Amino acid sequence: MNDEPRRRLRVGQAITPDEFDELSDEQLERLVPRAYREFFPGKDACADGSFYLHDGTVWSFYKGGFLDE
């Protein structure tokens, strides 16, 4: 068991693949800016920690933003 304190995650903050694996759908959804939350398909549908928005852009949890920025 990891005894290190967990850092406070915020909207748009990049996370590690390990953190992605540990977080629930609800926790991950809170990291996505409010304007894009409706497009979050759930953790199981996120290839490589990212998902597509309606306009074809890709949101990445590992980058904490869009892949093309």
Side-chain angles (χ1 to χ4, degrees):
M1 184 172 182
N2 188 351
D3 291 333
E4 291 181 30
R6 194 175 235 179
R7 68 183 172 122
R8 183 170 172 86
L9 300 176
R10 300 186 185 278
V11 171
Q13 182 178 13
I15 61 172
T16 66
D18 288 337
E19 288 171 323
F20 180 83
D21 290 340
E22 292 172 4
L23 297 173
S24 69
D25 279 357
E26 293 79 22
Q27 291 169 314
L28 288 170
E29 186 174 21
R30 288 194 304 254
L31 297 178
V32 179
R34 197 175 308 249
Y36 308 118
R37 287 182 187 168
E38 69 182 274
F39 304 105
F40 175 58
K43 183 178 185 175
D44 292 338
C46 288
D48 295 325
S50 61
F51 64 93
Y52 286 92
L53 301 177
H54 67 291
D55 62 0
T57 56
V58 180
W59 176 266
S60 172
F61 287 102
Y62 302 153
K63 186 172 179 180
F66 297 107
L67 283 181
D68 60 352
E69 288 183 337

